[in-house]
Amino acid sequence: QVQLVESGGGLVQAGGSLRLSCAASGSFLSIFRIDVMGWYREAPGKERESVASLTRSGSSDYADSVKGRFTISKDNAKNTVYLQMDSLKPEDTAVYYCNAGSSRSAPGPYWGQGTQVTVSS
């Protein structure tokens, strides 16, 4: 079992920045078997969408809507993945969810509780 705990959401004005964190905990073996961690977001009235992902080997991928503005990174020693969000726009407003699994083809089985990001204009 893996537990994901998110933090860092909040209210920010357009053009501002936030940094989200997702800390993974659980057995060594369960964490060891995670190959992909990423961030999804769900805006009101919209489908949950993938924002960014990062493999254990360090390969990152981003949604077109956030390329150049968001950066995903990880701290292996802390079992933590981050999402640095710069130049935020009102359309970035959503609940952001951390996810962990074994493939980019579909969301993994582990989800964080979600953290609200609100960008005011």
Side-chain angles (χ1 to χ4, degrees):
Q1 306 102 331
V2 175
Q3 295 79 46
L4 304 177
V5 179
E6 302 164 350
S7 62
L11 174 64
V12 66
Q13 293 189 67
S17 298
L18 286 173
R19 191 188 194 192
L20 306 183
S21 299
C22 174
S25 62
S27 70
F28 173 84
L29 183 58
S30 62
I31 294 176
F32 175 80
R33 295 175 70 175
I34 293 173
D35 192 55
V36 180
M37 294 191 71
W39 292 92
Y40 288 71
R41 68 185 182 188
E42 185 173 344
K46 298 183 66 177
E47 293 284 318
R48 187 174 298 189
E49 63 176 351
S50 176
V51 176
S53 64
L54 183 65
T55 68
R56 187 176 294 276
S57 63
S59 176
S60 60
D61 193 32
Y62 300 91
D64 288 341
S65 59
V66 306
K67 284 182 178 177
R69 300 188 298 118
F70 291 11
T71 304
I72 189 170
S73 62
K74 59 186 174 71
D75 185 333
N76 291 331
K78 297 180 178 180
N79 290 326
T80 300
V81 65
Y82 305 95
L83 186 67
Q84 178 67 43
M85 304 185 294
D86 298 320
S87 301
L88 282 162
K89 305 174 181 179
E91 50 262 46
D92 295 319
T93 295
V95 178
Y96 284 71
Y97 297 91
C98 182
N99 177 261
S102 60
S103 174
R104 282 172 165 160
S105 63
Y110 305 110
W111 291 94
Q113 80 282 2
T115 185
Q116 176 70 48
V117 172
T118 302
V119 184
S120 63
S121 58

